[in-house]
Amino acid sequence: MGQGRDGFSEAGLRRLREVLTRHVESGRIPGLVALVGRGEETHVEAIGTMRHDGGGGPMRRDTIFRMASTSKPVTMAAAMVLLDECRLRLDDPVDPWLPELADRRVLKRIDGPLDDTVPARRPITVRDLVTSTFGLGIDLTALGSPLMNAIFEGGVFSQGAKPLPEPDAWMRDLGALPLMRQPGEHWQYHLSHDVLGVLVARVTGRPFETFLRERVLEPLGMKDTGFHVPADKIDRLPPSYAPHPQTGEFTVWDEAVGGQYSAPPAFRAGGGGLVSTADDYHAYFRMLLNRGMHGTERILSRPAVELMTTNRLTPEQEAHRSALARNAVHISFGQGQQGGWGLGMAVRTYRGDYAPVGQFGWDGGTGTSAYADPENRLTGILLTQVGLSVPDPARLVHDFWTTLYQVIDD
C-alpha cells in the first residue's frame, strides 16, 4: 500500500497487527476482526478463533458480531430520516405517539423511593429522546437505588440476560416508572435509544427494523446487519463470552445456535440489539464521513449528519457525562476523554489521547468499537466476542486506537 493521501504506513500496519496478535496470544481474547478504512483504502485483520477453546473455525472478515451499544449510532439514522422528511420535529412533544410518556412524575431524589415525586415541568420532546436527555437512563452513579433496581429487575433494560416483551408491553412497563431527572436536564445513557425505536415504528406505522432496513441498511448494502442472525448465517456468529470478573474464566453469555440472536426478537432494541460485520459498519461510518452520501445516493441530509456528529450537550450535561465515564474506568476506558455527545454517539471536544477533536462513534459492552475521524478521513472498527465483565476487551480497544493512529504516515 502506498504512502499517498489515503495511504497506510507499512510499519504502522505491522505494529497494529503485532499489538492485536499479542492480545489474542495472551489467551484473554479468543478472536477479533479489525478494519481500518481511509478514503478508498481498506485494511482488515482477522485474528484468532470463534471459540475460546480454538473451536468453531478461525475468525473471518465476514464474522457476525453482537454490536451491543455500538448499535446506537446506526439505529439513530432511522429517526434522522423522519426529521429530514418533517414527519418529526425536534421540539414536538412525543405524547401523541408515546402516550405512555405523557404526564410524567419525577423523583425528588435520584436515590429516593419510587413514590416520592414531583410533576414534570414540561412534556418530553423528540429532542430529549435523540439527545438522551428525556429523564431516564442507565446511571452508574445510582446503582442499587430503587429506580435502577426497578429498571434492571422489571425487564426494562434491553441488554440484560432475558428477552424483552413486545414494544407496547415494554412501553407500559417503562411508563409505570417515574423519571430520574426533569426532561432535558441531564444526559442519561441508553434507554432513550430503545424508546426511539418504538417512536419510529409508531410514526411510520411499520416495524422499526423494516423501516431501518429499507431506508438505511439496504441502501448502504449492509446485508449482514439486523436484530437476529438467520439460520443460514448462524455459523458466522461466535458465542459471546462474559468472563468471570475474578477468575477470568470464559463464561458463555450467549450461544450462537439457540441463543437470543438466533431468532427474531419480540423487541428490536435500538439501544443495543444489532448484529453486524466490520464491512457493514464501515459502509455506515463512511456514509457519515461523506456527510450523508453513499456513492451517488443520499441516505441522510448533510445537516442531519452534522447534527449527529457534533456535540449537543451543554457544559453542565457534558460535565456529568465525563464524570460518569471517568468514575467507571475499566468499562469506559478512554470515554472520559471524549467530552461531547452528538446524537447516538460520542464526539471528541478536546484532545485527551491519540484521536483528534471531532472523532465520533461509540463502543459496545460485548467488545465492539466503531469511530470515524473527519480530519484524517479515517474509520476504525474493532469487533470481538468478549464482553466488558473484565477489562481485557477495553484494553484491546484502547491499543487498537493507539496503533491505528500510527498507521497514518503522510
Side-chain angles (χ1 to χ4, degrees):
M1 288 182 187
Q3 299 278 9
R5 176 67 186 89
D6 295 329
F8 298 131
S9 126
E10 288 297 339
L13 287 176
R14 217 168 23 249
R15 173 166 292 172
L16 175 73
R17 184 181 304 121
E18 284 166 4
V19 167
L20 295 178
T21 302
R22 197 188 313 154
H23 279 274
V24 172
E25 288 178 348
S26 75
R28 296 173 181 275
I29 304 288
L32 61 87
V33 177
L35 180 148
V36 187
R38 193 171 187 219
E40 297 307 308
E41 296 269 5
T42 308
H43 179 84
V44 176
E45 297 284 354
I47 304 172
T49 54
M50 299 280 276
R51 304 188 72 92
H52 83 92
D53 55 9
M59 280 286 173
R60 302 194 331 216
R61 182 170 180 161
D62 69 350
T63 296
I64 296 170
F65 293 86
R66 300 159 190 79
M67 299 306 290
S69 286
T70 319
S71 303
K72 290 174 170 69
V74 173
T75 58
M76 180 59 71
M80 302 312 291
V81 168
L82 295 180
L83 287 169
D84 274 346
E85 296 180 351
C86 301
R87 295 161 79 180
L88 282 176
R89 298 176 199 92
L90 283 170
D91 291 308
D92 276 338
V94 298
D95 301 3
W97 301 289
L98 303 173
E100 300 92 341
L101 294 183
D103 304 317
R104 294 287 74 204
R105 306 285 304 178
V106 184
L107 289 178
K108 285 183 186 170
R109 288 195 5 249
I110 196 161
D111 56 353
L114 297 184
D115 56 359
D116 189 17
T117 61
V118 295
R121 287 195 285 267
R122 62 164 177 80
I124 292 167
T125 64
V126 174
R127 185 187 300 273
D128 298 328
L129 287 178
V130 294
T131 56
S132 295
T133 59
F134 85 106
L136 267 180
I138 303 306
D139 191 330
L140 297 176
T141 66
L143 293 179
S145 68
L147 187 51
M148 286 305 299
N149 289 345
I151 286 170
F152 289 132
E153 291 159 17
V156 171
F157 179 52
S158 63
Q159 289 292 281
K162 60 180 182 184
L164 297 187
E166 49 79 33
D168 292 350
W170 183 81
M171 281 302 304
R172 279 195 300 276
D173 292 343
L174 187 77
L177 300 173
L179 300 181
M180 303 161 93
R181 309 276 188 184
Q182 288 286 345
E185 185 179 69
H186 242 75
W187 182 86
Q188 290 189 290
Y189 189 54
H190 185 72
L191 289 176
S192 56
H193 293 81
D194 291 340
V195 178
L196 276 172
V198 182
L199 178 66
V200 167
R202 290 185 180 175
V203 170
T204 61
R206 333 211 16 226
F208 174 48
E209 183 173 16
T210 304
F211 185 76
L212 181 69
R213 189 172 298 290
E214 286 179 6
R215 300 305 302 273
V216 181
L217 304 180
E218 280 176 1
L220 286 169
M222 296 173 70
K223 59 187 188 303
D224 291 323
T225 304
F227 289 96
H228 83 287
V229 182
D232 62 347
K233 297 181 180 180
I234 200 81
D235 61 317
R236 289 163 55 194
L237 180 73
S240 179
Y241 296 105
H244 188 281
Q246 275 74 49
T247 66
E249 183 188 350
F250 281 97
T251 306
V252 174
W253 177 71
D254 184 53
E255 206 32 280
V257 176
Q260 56 176 312
Y261 289 87
S262 63
F267 187 87
R268 271 77 164 174
L274 287 182
V275 293
S276 193
T277 62
D279 281 298
D280 277 13
Y281 258 62
H282 185 210
Y284 182 77
F285 275 85
R286 197 154 65 170
M287 177 273 290
L288 295 181
L289 282 181
N290 291 332
R291 295 173 169 162
M293 293 298 289
H294 176 68
T296 57
E297 186 172 0
R298 182 159 286 291
I299 309 295
L300 295 171
S301 73
R302 180 169 171 164
V305 173
E306 288 168 351
L307 202 57
M308 293 169 78
T309 59
T310 51
N311 180 43
R312 302 265 67 76
L313 300 185
T314 64
E316 296 80 12
Q317 291 167 342
E318 200 166 48
H320 174 70
R321 185 182 104 76
S322 294
L324 268 183
R326 286 183 195 136
N327 294 333
V329 170
H330 108 251
I331 297 176
S332 63
F333 232 92
Q335 291 171 2
Q337 301 303 326
Q338 290 163 342
W341 187 263
L343 305 182
M345 62 193 103
V347 180
R348 284 187 191 270
T349 54
Y350 68 94
R351 187 148 195 167
D353 52 31
Y354 281 39
V357 170
Q359 185 208 46
F360 54 80
W362 197 228
D363 307 282
T366 47
T368 58
S369 184
Y371 289 81
D373 163 6
E375 182 184 321
N376 295 294
R377 298 168 58 242
L378 184 75
T379 307
I381 294 148
L382 177 74
L383 307 173
T384 180
Q385 76 277 59
V386 182
L388 285 167
S389 55
V390 289
D392 303 298
R395 291 172 178 149
L396 165 64
V397 167
H398 177 273
D399 294 354
F400 170 66
W401 289 105
T402 299
T403 50
L404 182 142
Y405 274 100
Q406 299 173 54
V407 165
I408 311 169
D409 215 8
D410 46 50

